């Protein structure tokens, strides 16, 4: 709040509301109470909160601190100070900056119907002063006005890989289903944060949708993170995936070898193979894949399915009918058998039969009856090297946990399809007729009743459950899966009616 005098004026403005019709002031907090909060409380904020702990009015309810501490108190880098009941906004103030003289900024968020986020004030003091003005004189300009400016939230992955080092440090690696807005140097206040959820309610699924938005303040209010939690609904728009390094294979090998040396009980690597051996395989092996396979023939990370990159292991055993449904010889390379209860899935790298390219890594159930009745798959990564980098990242994090295997398993349930990842929207291939994109146009030529999902714009991991599409033919059974562009587009062709 800047100065003691500024804080005192805000306190006095709130105290002046006492006796105002329809306004109730809540008791303040003691220093002992504020000392017990898990965030620093600047002295200027204490000056106000000692005298006034909140305000209740006809259309607003605000509590400036927790009456009872809970594990969720001050979670997400902010404190929910109350609500604008008329507009259904929850009001949050950023907390946690140990060097700040005040809390802030203050953001009003509406997470449900017509979601919105508006930065109402840069400082808690400004917002409190406006609150006092608004309740004293309803016709006065007290912040509840239409936003006069707007800034765009950007994919947090783009921020993580962007030039702003400070913002990148706050978002870490980024989240494919989260956007972030820089709250510094806003053009004006109130300022709307423009974003769009990654889920959509526009398509029915077999489940009752319960997707939601979660808001987090980063860096003591430096940035606002908007995370889409997709549950029971389809992905509604493309995501920004993490960029796969050009030398992903070399990096994956180096990191896995380092992990195996540091944690030999939890990470075990099998020897690689020679070019002469790879030349004898039933599929072509491109140079970037050979870089990996010369060094590593298998990866066993405690808690994860064993990745057997060379042929002949149990992960390469595929039911003949599943083999047919997956495209037959030369179209995929099995690398793991993932168990889930009594079922198992085949993790595989898709291969373009025409070019020999090794493309996307996916997981498909290994049970023919299950696949026929419930056609689905999970996108694991853009390539074998990308998947190995992900496994190495999981292993590195698990190495810091008390139970390595449990931590690794909890981080990667997605080796088996439909175990909790976002649902990618399957679309009737007829809707892609006339598409300029060559892969979509090729998918449009598949038999009528086929559905396809474009994995190029999907999160990895992500689930593609064809049978959950609202207009998937009733009681249809799968004839085969078709993968175009080495897995960039996946399609399901049902049996003829």
């Amino acid at each position: 709040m800047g100065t003691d005098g500024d804080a005192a004026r805000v306190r006095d403005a709130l105290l002046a509301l006492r006796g105002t019709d329809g306004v109730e002031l809540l008791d303040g907090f003691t220093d002992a109470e504020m000392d017990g909060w898990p965030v620093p409380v600047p002295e200027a904020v204490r000056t106000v909160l000692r005298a006034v702990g909140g305000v209740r009015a006809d259309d607003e309810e605000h509590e400036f601190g927790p009456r009872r501490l809970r594990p969720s108190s001050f979670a997400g880098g902010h404190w929910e100070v109350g609500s604008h009941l008329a507009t259904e906004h929850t009001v949050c103030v950023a907390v946690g900056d140990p060097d700040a003289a005040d809390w802030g900024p203050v953001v009003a968020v509406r997470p449900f119907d017509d979601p919105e986020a508006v930065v109402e004030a840069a400082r808690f003091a400004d917002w409190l002063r406006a609150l006092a003005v608004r309740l004293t004189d309803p016709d006065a300009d007290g912040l509840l006005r239409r936003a006069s400016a707007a800034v765009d939230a950007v994919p947090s992955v783009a921020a993580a890989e962007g030039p702003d080092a400070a913002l990148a440090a706050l978002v870490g690696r980024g989240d494919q289903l989260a956007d972030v807005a820089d709250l510094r140097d806003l053009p004006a206040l109130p300022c709307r944060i423009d974003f769009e959820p990654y889920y959509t309610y526009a398509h029915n699924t077999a489940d009752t949708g319960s997707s939601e938005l979660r808001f987090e303040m980063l860096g003591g209010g430096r940035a606002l993170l908007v995370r889409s939690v997709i549950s029971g609904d389809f992905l509604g728009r493309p995501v920004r995936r993490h960029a796969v390094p050009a030398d992903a294979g070399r990096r994956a090998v180096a990191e896995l070898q380092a992990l195996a040396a540091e944690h030999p009980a939890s990470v075990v690597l099998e020897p690689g193979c020679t070019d002469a051996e790879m030349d004898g395989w039933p599929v072509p092996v491109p140079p970037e894949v050979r870089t990996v396979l010369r060094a590593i023939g298998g990866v066993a990370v405690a808690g994860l399915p064993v990745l057997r990159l060379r042929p002949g292991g149990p992960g390469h055993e595929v039911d003949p009918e599943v083999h047919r449904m997956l495209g037959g010889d030369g179209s995929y390379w099995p690398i793991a058998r993932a168990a889930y209860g009594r079922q198992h899935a085949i993790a595989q790298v898709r291969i373009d039969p025409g070019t020999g390219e090794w493309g996307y890594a996916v997981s498909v159930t290994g049970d023919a009856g299950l696949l026929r009745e419930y056609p689905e798959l999970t996108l694991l990564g853009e390539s074998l090297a990308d998947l190995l980098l992900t496994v190495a990242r999981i292993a590195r994090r698990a190495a810091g946990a008390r139970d390595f295997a449990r931590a690794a398993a909890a981080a990667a349930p997605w080796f088996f399809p439909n175990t909790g990842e976002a649902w990618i929207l399957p679309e009737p291939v007829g809707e892609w007729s006339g598409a300029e994109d060559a892969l979509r146009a090729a998918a449009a030529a598949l038999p009528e009743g086929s559905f396809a999902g474009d994995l190029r714009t999907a999160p990895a991991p992500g689930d593609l459950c064809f049978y959950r599409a609202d207009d998937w033919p009733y009681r249809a059974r799968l004839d085969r899966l078709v993968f175009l562009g080495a897995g960039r587009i996946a399609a399901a062709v049902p049996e003829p009616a």
Side-chain angles (χ1 to χ4, degrees):
M1 296 191 187
T3 66
D4 292 342
D6 190 22
R9 284 190 290 274
V10 172
R11 177 198 60 203
D12 293 344
L14 291 171
L15 288 173
L17 293 171
R18 187 171 286 136
T20 302
D21 288 344
V23 176
E24 175 190 359
L25 299 186
L26 304 182
D27 292 338
F29 300 93
T30 67
D31 281 297
E33 287 176 303
M34 289 185 275
D35 289 341
W37 296 352
V39 297
V41 185
E43 180 56 34
V45 177
R46 288 174 182 257
T47 298
V48 175
L49 268 55
R50 290 186 190 108
V52 182
V55 175
R56 289 178 181 158
D58 292 339
D59 289 329
E60 300 192 53
E61 292 183 357
H62 303 291
E63 292 189 5
F64 305 151
R67 297 290 159 180
R68 180 181 301 170
L69 277 176
R70 298 179 176 87
S72 59
S73 294
F74 302 110
H78 63 262
W79 168 245
E80 295 183 6
V81 294
S83 304
H84 298 317
L85 302 180
T87 61
E88 299 182 336
H89 284 82
T90 298
V91 182
C92 305
V93 58
V95 296
D97 186 347
D99 300 320
D102 192 359
W103 285 346
V106 179
V107 183
V109 300
R110 184 170 55 207
F112 302 113
D113 296 336
D114 191 19
E116 184 179 57
V118 178
V119 181
E120 295 194 330
R123 302 184 308 156
F124 193 38
D126 298 334
W127 185 83
L128 290 173
R129 187 182 292 108
L131 174 65
V133 169
R134 189 165 64 247
L135 295 180
T136 303
D137 181 2
D139 296 326
D141 185 4
L143 285 182
L144 277 185
R145 59 185 188 271
R146 187 180 300 275
S148 57
V151 296
D152 290 329
V154 301
S156 63
V157 172
E161 298 173 354
D164 189 330
L167 184 59
L170 290 178
V171 300
R173 190 166 180 265
D175 184 320
Q176 300 167 103
L177 300 177
D179 289 349
V180 65
D182 194 335
L183 302 186
R184 301 175 308 165
D185 304 322
L186 297 175
L189 292 173
C191 184
R192 187 180 69 252
I193 306 300
D194 283 341
F195 66 91
E196 182 182 351
Y198 280 95
Y199 52 81
T200 175
Y201 296 129
H203 303 273
N204 293 325
T205 69
D207 288 26
T208 300
S210 55
S211 301
E212 62 178 354
L213 291 173
R214 294 179 185 170
F215 297 87
E216 299 176 32
M217 296 282 200
L218 306 178
R222 155 73 193 271
L224 176 70
L225 189 76
V226 186
R227 189 186 309 275
S228 292
V229 181
I230 304 181
S231 178
D233 302 294
F234 285 120
L235 189 74
R237 65 186 181 99
V239 306
R240 167 72 177 262
R241 282 206 297 257
H242 300 96
V244 179
D247 61 344
R250 181 190 61 79
R251 294 191 189 194
V253 167
E255 178 63 358
L256 288 169
Q257 288 175 336
L259 284 161
E262 298 166 20
H263 308 281
S266 301
V267 180
V268 178
L269 304 182
E270 296 177 6
C273 54
T274 66
D275 284 295
E277 184 178 351
M278 288 184 270
D279 289 342
W281 292 358
V283 295
V285 186
E288 66 274 13
V289 179
R290 290 177 182 250
T291 297
V292 173
L293 297 181
R294 290 188 194 106
I296 298 175
V299 181
V301 173
L304 301 184
V306 177
L307 303 179
R308 303 187 187 278
L309 311 182
R310 301 168 62 176
H316 292 257
E317 297 173 3
V318 181
D319 177 271
E321 178 61 8
V322 172
H323 179 67
R324 182 196 68 79
M325 296 162 76
L326 292 179
D329 291 337
S331 59
Y332 69 100
W333 189 252
I335 57 174
R337 181 185 178 98
Y340 189 77
R342 296 182 179 179
Q343 303 297 333
H344 74 276
I346 304 299
Q348 59 198 263
V349 181
R350 298 305 308 184
I351 298 176
D352 188 314
T355 66
E357 176 193 3
W358 288 40
Y360 281 22
V362 301
S363 179
V364 180
T365 179
D367 182 287
L370 197 62
L371 182 58
R372 186 176 292 110
E373 186 171 2
Y374 300 107
E376 60 189 0
L377 59 93
T378 291
L379 171 63
L380 304 180
E382 291 186 27
S383 63
L384 173 62
D386 182 29
L387 176 58
L388 292 177
L389 279 175
T390 299
V391 168
R393 200 159 34 245
I394 291 169
R396 181 63 69 184
R397 287 197 299 265
R402 181 175 300 177
D403 187 327
F404 187 113
R406 177 174 294 183
W414 35 258
F415 270 100
F416 196 93
N418 200 12
T419 49
E421 300 307 314
W423 287 341
I424 302 161
L425 178 65
E427 301 179 69
V429 296
E431 295 183 2
W432 291 357
S433 179
E436 294 183 2
D437 179 81
L439 291 181
R440 286 186 168 228
L446 291 171
E448 183 179 357
S450 301
F451 278 70
D454 194 331
L455 302 185
R456 293 171 294 184
T457 60
D463 288 323
L464 178 54
C465 305
F466 295 102
Y467 63 92
R468 292 189 182 275
D470 185 43
D471 40 3
W472 175 257
Y474 178 65
R475 298 187 68 83
R477 294 295 181 266
L478 178 72
D479 176 57
R480 68 190 189 278
L481 295 177
V482 176
F483 294 86
L484 303 172
R488 290 172 176 83
I489 283 181
V493 179
E495 293 178 343

